[in-house]
Each structure stands twice: as structure tokens, then as C-alpha cells.
Amino acid sequence: MAKLEAFIKAKEKLSKVLLETQLIYSPIFSKESGNKVFIKPENLQKTGSFKIRGAYNKISNLTDAEKKRGVIASSAGNHAQGVAYGAKESGIKAVIVMPKSTPLIKVESTKQYGAEVILHGDVYDDAFKKAKELEEKEGYVFVHPFNDEDVLDGQGTIALEILEELPETDIILVPIGGGGLISGIACAAKILKPEIKIIGVEPEGAASAYEAIKENKVVELKEANTIADGTAVKKIGDLNFEYIKKYVDEIITVSDYELMEAFLLLVEKHKIIAENSGILSIAATKKLKEKNKKVVSVISGGNIDVLMISSMINKGLIRRDRIFNFTVSIPDKPGELAKVVDLIAEQGANVIKLEHNQFKNLSRFKDIELQITVETNGSEHVQNLTQAFEEKGYEIVRIKSKIN
């Protein structure tokens, strides 16, 4: 197990390359969770994520002989950029194996740091197996994204920074993929402040750490199905499992729907863009049992494709009832459509889309169906709108949108 000295040494080495990611107080997430929530924005870090910490620390600890061999890594994106950056700074060769599903922005960013990129397999585990084959064949030094002491020493420097800036922190929320980030943070935080609570957060569709703790052994999931691609890991590291067992107090899972909602709030209220895996911890703030605590949520990365940003915002709007889809039947006679539009305007909602289906087969022969999409201020506004329609004798039927 890592010692405090190892974290301090890693912090000193990383001081040459890291950007300061100071805590940001969040009024909106504090209000919704009943706690004082602070964001640790590692999405603003150099290379766009926390991964530079572990990768750079690992590479800086290699011997001259190991550096001559070059390094290889497998990654869904962020570790790739960390390794590529560390290798470039050290003047050594880097080869990165990435899943074919990796967002283009991460692939291109990795290449820009001078690394050779090989796309292989559908998920991280496939890329990992390919990288291990090349390690043996070509003699590269493998830089594991999470199952490595030097790597987690680097990740643990986040805890040192948090407790230096906010010593009274009660809870740290940390995303879990392979387990390296939470292993380092939990170990370092518990050494400095044993009473602190460390809570890991996983996507429901890839909860490999949650299952491992439940079974008391490392298990491999049949699939990793989540929009949080950076944490779509079927099996956590065995080293990380030991750290999690010893230092992590609880693991929370969040749905893809909850990620969409958190993404929207982070963009709208803080003007912060983070990737889906990076917002696991902020999405979990609403699920905390604790109240009136000082909570730090680690936003682990911000490397997200522009098209995904647009999709996440739209889905988040639907999730928060800011976009409301419904149908309503009206008599098929002049002036009825205008009445509906006027009613919506009176309630302060904005019509985005309206489809007038005169041939829809309804129970009442002389009625027609309207399909309407409106922009609202949220759930309370939707309730008021629905009530206003009912008071005028209209029946609204909500259209359940497919947002996953």
C-alpha cells in the first residue's frame, strides 16, 4: 500500500506539468443535495483529465533502460493522452491502443502529443489485451491506466490538493472506471484525515467495483453498457480492489438519465463542459444520504465530442422537463387550433414543434390530434400547463421521449 511519502514525491514531480484546478462552490448542486458541494474540475487539467497525474508519475519513475524501450498503454482516451504527454516530455516513444468506439476528439488529441495510435476492439478490455500482446512482442514498457502503484500515487495527489484547500472536507465523491483514481484519492485522503468519507460512483451499466465488493472478489461483467465510455470497464484491477476494500466507504451507481441531467446543470449553471464519465460524481450528489456536509465532487475529465455535447444538452432538457412533449385532441373545426396555441402562450411556454394530424383515428370521430413540443421552465411549469389545459376541458397525454 502506498505511503504518504510516495504521494508527496508524486506531487513534487507533477508540480512541473500540472495546472491548478481549484475548488468551485456549486450553489445548484448544494441546493439539490442538501449539502455544501464543491467541484474539483480536473476536466480543466492539462490533457483534459486527471490521467496526466498517474501517467506522468509512472513515466518519470522509469529507469533510463526502460525509457529506451518506449511505452505502450491501452485506453478509452484520457489515459492515452496522459501517457502520450508524459512520453513526449521525457523524449520517449509511446504507442497507444484504443477501442474503435473511442470518441474522435480523444484519438486526435492523443496523436497530437506524438503517440502512435492503434484502434482495436469494441471496449477497453479488448484494447488492453492487444496492448499486452504488443508489449510482449516489441518489448515496450506497459503503463497500466489503473492497476499500478506509481499511477495511483499520481492520482492520489488530487486528495492532497483537496485537503490542503478545504481541510474540513467531509466527503469526496470519485468516479470509478478501473479503480485507479479512487484508489489513490482514498488512500491519500484516509492517511491525512482518517474520518473522511470516500464514496465511489459508477454507471449502472458498468458497475464492476460495486459487484466486486458485493462478491468480495474481482469479477468480470458480461458487458459494460453506458454512455460513460471512459468508465465502461468490465473488470477493475486486483490491486485497486484491495485499495477499495480498505479505504472506500461506499459505492453509488447512477443511471445514464441522471448523467444527462447533471450534464445540463453543469453546463447551464457553471458553464463547465465535462465528459460523461467525468460527471458521475456530480450526478451522485443528489443520491447522498448525508446532509449538511462539505462534499467535494471530482470531475475527472472533459474530453467530449461536440456532437455528444449537443445530444447531452437536449436529453438533459427533456430529463428536467425543460422540453415537454404531449398530445391533445381538439374538435375538427375552425379556431380550435388557435385556442390551444393561445393557451400555451398564456402559460408562458414556447412552442418548438406542432404537428396537426387531421387523419388520426381517435375515439371521437370528429376530433383531431395535435402533437406538441414546448419549452418550459421545468416540472412545476409543466404541471401548471397541464392543469390549465384540463380546466379548459382538454386532456393532455405526455409522450415519453426516448432519451437513452
Side-chain angles (χ1 to χ4, degrees), residues 213-224:
I213 293 299
K214 190 170 75 173
E215 299 293 330
N216 197 31
K217 64 179 181 181
V218 176
V219 295
E220 183 167 355
L221 303 177
K222 291 181 180 178
E223 61 177 1

Side-chain angles (χ1 to χ4, degrees), residues 3 33 35 58 84 91-92 104 119 133-134 139 146 151 157 213 226 260 286 292 315 348 370 373 392 401:
K3 300 289 191 297
S33 69
N35 292 290
K58 172 68 175 179
I92 65 176
L104 184 61
L119 297 177
E133 288 175 14
L134 290 171
F146 49 82
V151 169
T157 58
I213 293 299
T226 173
M260 295 167 192
K286 288 176 68 173
N292 301 312
K315 291 169 181 176
L370 299 179
T373 301
K392 295 290 185 180
S401 303

Side-chain angles (χ1 to χ4, degrees), residues 75-76 97-103 119-128 130 224-226 229 232-234:
S75 171
V97 186
M98 309 175 85
K100 293 177 182 176
S101 58
T102 303
L119 297 177
H120 179 84
D122 296 319
V123 293
Y124 165 75
D125 301 81
D126 299 328
F128 171 74
K130 180 66 174 178
N225 185 17
T226 173
D229 58 282
V233 178
K234 294 180 185 178

Side-chain angles (χ1 to χ4, degrees), residues 146-317:
F146 49 82
N147 204 45
D148 183 284
E149 291 280 2
D150 287 333
V151 169
L152 66 87
D153 286 347
Q155 322 302 31
T157 58
I158 292 174
L160 271 57
E161 292 173 12
I162 289 171
L163 291 174
E164 184 177 331
E165 187 176 354
L166 191 70
E168 62 272 29
T169 301
D170 298 303
I171 300 169
I172 302 178
L173 286 166
V174 189
I176 301 179
L181 177 61
I182 196 167
S183 294
I185 288 177
C187 180
K190 292 283 188 177
I191 291 172
L192 292 171
K193 189 176 181 179
E195 70 273 22
I196 198 169
K197 188 167 188 180
I198 307 296
I199 299 177
V201 190
E202 289 188 294
E204 287 180 356
S208 52
Y210 181 87
E211 290 299 321
I213 293 299
K214 190 170 75 173
E215 299 293 330
N216 197 31
K217 64 179 181 181
V218 176
V219 295
E220 183 167 355
L221 303 177
K222 291 181 180 178
E223 61 177 1
N225 185 17
T226 173
I227 61 171
D229 58 282
T231 49
V233 178
K234 294 180 185 178
K235 185 170 76 171
I236 61 170
D238 52 1
L239 173 65
N240 307 126
F241 176 61
E242 296 303 321
Y243 274 87
I244 291 170
K245 272 203 305 183
K246 185 171 182 179
Y247 296 113
V248 176
D249 299 282
E250 184 183 351
I251 295 175
I252 294 174
T253 60
V254 298
S255 69
D256 284 356
Y257 300 106
E258 289 164 329
L259 286 176
M260 295 167 192
E261 186 176 351
F263 184 91
L264 175 68
L265 287 178
L266 202 58
V267 171
E268 188 173 42
K269 302 300 183 181
H270 287 286
K271 311 302 181 280
I272 290 176
I273 301 290
E275 62 192 270
N276 298 335
S277 299
I279 57 176
L280 282 164
S281 57
I282 202 72
T285 54
K286 288 176 68 173
K287 305 184 88 167
L288 290 174
K289 300 186 290 287
E290 295 82 2
K291 301 298 173 188
N292 301 312
K293 301 292 184 183
K294 287 186 172 65
V295 179
V296 174
S297 176
V298 178
I299 305 296
S300 58
N303 294 311
I304 182 170
D305 185 84
V306 174
L307 293 176
M308 177 60 77
I309 292 172
S310 173
S311 175
M312 290 292 287
I313 289 173
N314 289 333
K315 291 169 181 176
L317 287 169

